[in-house]
Amino acid sequence: MDRAIIFDVDGTLAETEEGHREAFNIAFREAGLPWSWDQELYRKLLGVTGGKERIRYFIEDFGADGAPEQNLDQFIRALHAKKTLAYTEIVKGGGLELRPGVRECIEEARQRGYRLALATTTTPANIDALLGATFGDAGQGLFDVICAGDSVPNKKPAPDVYLQALDELELPAGSCVAIEDSRNGLLSARAAGIATIVTPCLYTRGEDFAEAALVIDGLDSLDFADLDALFG
Ligand code: XBP
Ligand code: MG
């Protein structure tokens, strides 16, 4: 079948953002920085996608002390590398479950012949860790296309990562449906012309999802007939 479902990762496949937040705070401690992101601050910082971009946002817009005047890019890259190491260790340590209905939705989509893709802002190493922890070895071959992190110049809400997924799938937008958890992700998919289902996560509940074709609590309440109806 020449139809594809393109999944976002963080917040959509699993409630990962608490793990990311913990990993950022571990990296800050390891770097001797006086920074600690609580849930209230992290919710604000999630307005910017991409961990490196989020650190820069914190420094520039929240007056964080401790960042160098020079070579800020290099400083952020090194700090984010520590964070990614900490996050992948947290995920590999277990305890992170797929959100309700995600596994069943992926299995049913496969049985129905849909192609599957990931379009995410997160770092590729994080995806490997999450798929390994939740699907085991089967996780590797699960998705036909994986577009992630710095593979595109502009992160969500820009359409770049979804346009890249369409290009690699060799499918038009009308032959795909996106599944997202956040407004940034919804705007990104819609800017690429893709009909989008939103399953808000703990950090994104209450955001504006007016452009979504469907908003449901979780994929455990998705009726495939509703998904099929969204294809052009
Ligand atoms: C969510 C993000 C990511 C994660 C942190 O990605 O915006 O930045 O919060 O991961 P998505 P990194 O919802 O598109 O999967 O630190 O690796 O960016
Ligand atoms: Mg997300």
Side-chain angles (χ1 to χ4, degrees), residues 133-216:
T134 53
F135 290 98
D137 293 341
Q140 284 315 314
L142 211 49
F143 296 93
D144 303 288
V145 163
I146 296 180
C147 302
D150 295 337
S151 69
V152 290
N154 309 298
K155 291 182 174 156
K156 299 174 183 178
D160 300 37
V161 70
Y162 278 102
L163 292 173
Q164 184 184 50
L166 293 177
D167 184 48
E168 292 193 16
L169 285 163
E170 297 181 333
L171 287 175
S175 298
C176 298
V177 167
I179 300 180
E180 271 284 353
D181 71 302
S182 69
R183 178 160 182 76
N184 276 330
L186 168 61
L187 292 176
S188 176
R190 291 302 298 133
I194 302 170
T196 305
I197 297 170
V198 174
T199 58
C201 77
L202 295 174
Y203 271 109
T204 62
R205 276 186 201 142
E207 289 186 356
D208 174 5
F209 300 120
E211 301 81 352
L214 191 60
V215 181
I216 50 178

Side-chain angles (χ1 to χ4, degrees), residues 7-12 16-17 20 24 42 46 48-54 80 83-84 87 119-124 126 149 155-156 161-162 180-182 184-185:
F7 292 83
D8 164 56
V9 174
D10 290 310
T12 299
T16 56
E17 289 298 352
H20 284 298
F24 280 110
Y42 194 60
L46 276 172
V48 169
T49 65
K52 294 188 289 297
E53 294 80 359
R54 193 166 302 141
H80 190 252
K83 177 267 172 181
T84 299
Y87 176 74
T120 174
T121 313
T122 203
T123 303
N126 299 343
K155 291 182 174 156
K156 299 174 183 178
V161 70
Y162 278 102
E180 271 284 353
D181 71 302
S182 69
N184 276 330

Side-chain angles (χ1 to χ4, degrees), residues 24 26 32 38 104 110:
F24 280 110
I26 290 168
D38 62 18
E104 295 78 4
R110 270 266 177 256

Side-chain angles (χ1 to χ4, degrees), residues 13-47:
L13 295 186
E15 290 283 4
T16 56
E17 289 298 352
E18 274 303 88
H20 284 298
R21 184 174 70 87
E22 183 186 346
F24 280 110
N25 287 334
I26 290 168
F28 300 155
R29 283 197 297 274
E30 285 178 356
L33 290 162
W35 304 344
S36 180
W37 291 352
D38 62 18
Q39 290 181 343
E40 184 186 352
L41 173 56
Y42 194 60
R43 183 182 303 276
K44 293 174 190 156
L45 294 172
L46 276 172

Side-chain angles (χ1 to χ4, degrees), residues 15 43 50 52 55 60 62 108 116 131 166 187 192 206 219 229:
E15 290 283 4
R43 183 182 303 276
K52 294 188 289 297
I55 293 170
E60 294 178 348
F62 289 74
E108 181 160 357
L116 301 182
L131 294 183
L166 293 177
L187 292 176
L219 290 178

Side-chain angles (χ1 to χ4, degrees), residues 101-113:
V102 167
R103 190 182 302 278
E104 295 78 4
C105 175
I106 288 171
E107 284 169 358
E108 181 160 357
R110 270 266 177 256
Q111 283 158 22
R112 288 169 175 250

